[in-house]
Amino acid sequence: MNFSISRVLPRFKHVSFLQNYCLAIRYVSANGHSFTTSYLINSCAFSPKAALAVRKSVNFQTSEKPDSVISFFKDHGFSQAQIRTLIQRLPELLVYSPEKILWPKFQFFYGRGVSRSKLASILSSNPFVLKCSLHNRIIPSFNYFKDLTHCDDDKVLVAYKHFQGVLANDFQSLIAPNVAVLRECGVPESNILSKLVAHPRVFGTSHEKFKRTVEEVKKLGFNPLRKSFLTALQALVQLSKSTWEEKVNVLKEWGWSNEEIALAFRKSPDFMKLSEHKIKAAMNFYVNTMGCKSSCIAKCPVLLSLSLHKRLIPRWSLLQALLLKGLIKKEISLQVLFMSGEKKFLYKFVTPYEDPYLLKLYEEKLGVSR
């Protein structure tokens, strides 16, 4: 097969001619599928490195099939970036038949009221449903999830975006035993279904791990009747034992006791899903910048989830200005300062003083952080 180095070289804009030449030789000679690499680079705007990775999963000798696939996705509103993402995540798409494999699935989703733009967004991030059988997998799974949760059709696709098992696996056999465990321990049906739609991955956990984690949540004192029970379950399912221990050690470095950590988790289970970096940065600000006691943050762990640059620094800077001007003399609680909504915060800390400098300072701090 004839292969022109010049077809590849123009894409390598940031390296020398010699580097271009060596890269081209490498991709051509790696194995006999030089046409695939060239096509991915020139027609799909892949980098040489990305093209090599994709070529390990798919190969073709002519452009007929991949051209028809790319045209199909373009016709259905996919951007070039979305198409490139699709191919990276599911390379074999390039040799699918648009008429026989792709269009029937698109037709099904359109028939369920899913818009072109939403379908493009969902499938570009999670295309694996496109490799599944429409009649043996997608339609039964779609109907099962919708009938179980009573959600709108488009919400089924959103759930799939979060967890491909919703449509791409036998989701019914996977989640039914786990749902049964929650029903047995008294979790309200409405709570189960809401969590299933919003966070289906939680229910895709192996049954043994799921049962074990439910028992852990009960031992921690969570009430199955409250939504926090499932929030805690989600946190424990998602965090490995080693990750949990690492976060516990970070909190202990800031002086939290085991009892304080357990109490904080009961108050706000989500805070343990924060990254270690996020926890450290927030604690450093509260303790070292503001001079707060570490135990105060343990009593209100939701404070750790607030944005350092979009919430904490701008509001703290404004409070400092108010104190310097003598406009505020009484102590302000952390909850009032940082957890009030934007309108309420401005109404309480900016509007009453009719000082343009205060609003300018606050907006500047927000601007610096954006």
Side-chain angles (χ1 to χ4, degrees):
M1 177 183 296
N2 293 327
F3 180 79
S4 173
I5 295 295
S6 63
R7 291 190 63 193
V8 180
L9 296 183
R11 295 290 178 177
F12 304 159
K13 297 178 180 179
H14 305 293
V15 294
S16 70
F17 175 82
L18 181 59
Q19 287 174 308
N20 273 327
Y21 181 81
C22 293
L23 282 169
I25 293 298
R26 176 187 172 191
Y27 292 115
V28 172
S29 62
N31 61 38
H33 304 291
S34 57
F35 182 85
T36 302
T37 303
S38 174
Y39 184 90
L40 292 168
I41 292 171
N42 291 302
S43 299
C44 306
F46 276 88
S47 69
K49 183 178 181 180
L52 180 62
V54 170
R55 197 199 61 199
K56 292 177 180 178
S57 300
V58 65
N59 294 291
F60 41 86
Q61 300 299 321
T62 70
S63 64
E64 183 179 357
K65 277 193 174 181
D67 279 349
S68 66
V69 169
I70 290 174
S71 294
F72 175 85
F73 285 117
K74 285 181 177 178
D75 291 344
H76 288 273
F78 286 69
S79 67
Q80 184 177 16
Q82 287 176 324
I83 293 172
R84 190 165 55 248
T85 301
L86 268 172
I87 296 169
Q88 281 182 307
R89 293 180 174 170
L90 193 61
E92 64 226 58
L93 279 174
L94 286 172
V95 294
Y96 280 6
S97 166
E99 295 78 16
K100 294 180 180 179
I101 299 179
L102 299 178
W103 169 239
K105 293 163 188 174
F106 274 64
Q107 193 173 32
F108 170 75
F109 292 129
Y110 289 152
R112 293 292 186 144
V114 182
S115 68
R116 283 161 55 102
S117 59
K118 177 167 281 189
L119 189 60
S121 172
I122 290 173
L123 292 180
S124 60
S125 65
N126 198 341
F128 299 98
V129 70
L130 294 176
K131 64 189 293 187
C132 299
S133 167
L134 176 63
H135 296 287
N136 295 331
R137 177 68 69 203
I138 298 174
I139 293 176
S141 296
F142 191 102
N143 291 338
Y144 170 76
F145 192 89
K146 179 177 168 57
D147 292 343
L148 175 64
T149 62
H150 310 295
C151 69
D152 295 334
D153 287 347
D154 63 334
K155 291 292 179 64
V156 181
L157 265 293
V158 173
Y160 161 76
K161 183 178 180 179
H162 295 313
F163 180 52
Q164 68 186 50
V166 169
L167 296 179
N169 298 110
D170 185 2
F171 196 56
Q172 180 174 356
S173 63
L174 189 63
I175 71 156
N178 293 340
V179 169
V181 169
L182 295 178
R183 286 171 174 163
E184 288 171 6
C185 66
V187 177
E189 191 75 3
S190 59
N191 291 357
I192 295 174
L193 300 183
S194 295
K195 181 64 72 173
L196 184 56
V197 172
H199 302 283
R201 186 177 297 275
V202 176
F203 295 82
T205 307
S206 70
H207 185 54
E208 288 306 313
K209 180 180 179 181
F210 193 88
K211 280 200 305 181
R212 186 170 63 251
T213 308
V214 167
E215 290 303 315
E216 290 178 16
V217 173
K218 290 165 66 175
K219 289 178 182 178
L220 286 170
F222 286 91
N223 185 345
L225 296 176
R226 301 179 66 86
K227 290 183 178 180
S228 58
F229 185 92
L230 291 180
T231 305
L233 176 65
Q234 180 184 350
L236 291 177
V237 163
Q238 292 179 344
L239 294 174
S240 67
K241 184 177 180 180
S242 61
T243 300
W244 176 273
E245 290 175 350
E246 287 168 2
K247 293 183 180 183
V248 166
N249 289 334
V250 168
L251 294 170
K252 286 184 175 181
E253 289 173 2
W254 287 98
W256 290 30
S257 66
N258 287 327
E259 291 74 19
E260 285 176 318
I261 294 171
L263 180 60
F265 184 67
R266 284 198 292 273
K267 286 185 176 181
S268 180
D270 275 335
F271 98 94
M272 283 299 278
K273 293 191 289 183
L274 299 172
S275 69
E276 292 176 47
H277 174 76
K278 172 81 171 171
I279 294 172
K280 289 178 181 178
M283 288 300 298
N284 181 64
F285 179 82
Y286 287 122
V287 176
N288 295 329
T289 300
M290 292 187 62
C292 299
K293 292 182 178 180
S294 180
S295 58
C296 292
I297 311 303
K299 293 175 182 177
C300 188
V302 70
L303 288 167
L304 294 174
S305 65
L306 302 176
S307 170
L308 182 63
H309 298 290
K310 294 181 180 179
R311 179 66 65 94
L312 303 185
I313 292 176
R315 293 192 178 189
W316 172 244
S317 300
L318 181 63
L319 180 63
Q320 292 299 99
L322 291 170
L323 291 170
L324 286 173
K325 286 175 171 284
L327 297 175
I328 286 184
K329 296 181 180 179
K330 64 178 182 178
E331 187 173 331
I332 305 296
S333 73
L334 294 176
Q335 288 90 335
V336 170
L337 179 61
F338 293 128
M339 296 181 66
S340 300
E342 188 72 3
K343 288 184 179 180
K344 185 175 181 180
F345 174 79
L346 292 174
Y347 180 79
K348 185 174 182 65
F349 293 101
V350 177
T351 305
Y353 305 108
E354 299 181 348
D355 186 341
Y357 166 77
L358 295 174
L359 182 59
K360 182 181 178 182
L361 171 68
Y362 182 62
E363 290 179 341
E364 283 179 353
K365 290 297 180 181
L366 284 174
V368 167
S369 64
R370 286 172 182 158

